[in-house]
Amino acid sequence: GWAYLCFQVDDIDAEHRRVLDLGIEVMGKPRTCSMGRSFLIRDVDGNLVKLLEVSGSRHELEISNLASHPILQEIRKRSVGSQRPH
């Protein structure tokens, strides 16, 4: 399984304040990571959720740019070839 689910946000500091105001369990303050700035929260079922503001130097990781990312094109190509009729 996955360690956590990640959502991209535009302003990590604003989201941090917002989730604190909502009383959501926050796992620390925003920190700089390899992709930008992020922090973790726990949802109502205890699952970890990462909120991430992608840094300008890693713009290729932004959601709007992923559709054309080479790895996703390769996954699509391989998954179409492996589909079997039901």
Side-chain angles (χ1 to χ4, degrees):
W2 298 94
Y4 56 82
L5 182 63
C6 183
F7 291 101
Q8 181 183 342
V9 299
D10 292 327
D11 184 337
I12 199 74
D13 295 312
E15 290 301 320
H16 189 257
R17 287 188 301 274
R18 187 173 76 84
V19 297
L20 285 173
D21 289 346
L22 291 170
I24 295 171
E25 184 181 357
V26 178
M27 316 300 285
K29 296 180 180 180
R31 294 180 177 211
T32 301
C33 64
S34 62
M35 295 180 284
R37 293 182 65 225
S38 67
F39 67 94
L40 292 168
I41 62 173
R42 285 207 183 270
D43 71 9
V44 295
D45 293 319
N47 299 303
L48 285 175
V49 178
K50 181 184 246 184
L51 300 179
L52 169 69
E53 178 183 346
V54 177
S55 75
S57 65
R58 299 300 305 265
H59 64 87
E60 77 277 5
L61 298 174
E62 291 180 358
I63 296 297
S64 59
N65 293 328
L66 286 181
S68 62
H69 198 279
I71 190 68
L72 292 180
Q73 292 174 357
E74 183 65 23
I75 290 169
R76 279 190 206 104
K77 183 173 107 181
R78 290 178 186 219
S79 67
V80 169
S82 67
Q83 291 179 355
R84 291 181 264 164
H86 294 267

